[in-house]
Amino acid sequence: ENIWICNYNGQYLWRFTEKFDRVLLDAPCSGEWIWFKSQESLKYWNIKNVKKIADVQKKLFEAWLNALKIWWEMLYSTCTMNLFENEWVVESILNKHPGSFEIVFKKRFWPHVDETGWFFVCKLKKIRSLDYKISDKWDLSNKQIVDLSHSDKKILDKFLSTQGITLKADTIIKKYSNE
């Protein structure tokens, strides 16, 4: 009852102003860590794509920071090492909303030092409400949200039961797609 799961674009969660005690934002990223696993992935990496992904990360960071209650904490992480997707995302939101949060902990994890894959993590504490204005470019109408179909609910129920998780059906939503 204290965890919310949804298949919904996280950028829209700005509507949930100060509703969550804790947030774990494992943001989508350029995934530079997979270079070690597949050199094929290198041909898709370019600075233009990295900047696009960083823009999405900023929107997610800002939306989730708005959804976080004051004095509670958020953990932001990526599995990449470039500054665009890590420190600069954090600094960008801090510059846009000065004094809204403080950094508790920030670290880059290196395979050769930390015996793990590449990743970045930043733990922060929200210390004041955001003066949050959503971009006019985002379509935030309720037509974007539909109830899960009966078959989707059955599939989800089966998965949740195998994991020992119970959820109220009305807390689960699905993003509508014409694709």
Side-chain angles (χ1 to χ4, degrees), residues 72-108:
W72 288 87
E73 296 175 336
M74 180 168 91
L75 191 68
Y76 172 75
S77 64
T78 70
C79 59
T80 191
M81 296 308 293
N82 67 70
L83 292 172
F84 290 106
E85 299 178 72
N86 296 319
E87 289 88 350
W88 292 355
V89 167
V90 175
E91 289 173 21
S92 170
I93 303 305
L94 192 53
N95 289 336
K96 187 173 181 180
H97 302 285
S100 61
F101 66 91
E102 60 186 27
I103 295 172
V104 175
F105 174 82
K106 181 171 60 171
K107 181 171 173 41
R108 286 171 174 263

Side-chain angles (χ1 to χ4, degrees), residues 55-67:
D55 287 339
V56 169
Q57 291 167 339
K58 289 174 195 174
K59 290 175 184 175
L60 288 168
F61 191 109
E62 188 175 24
W64 279 106
L65 184 61
N66 187 63

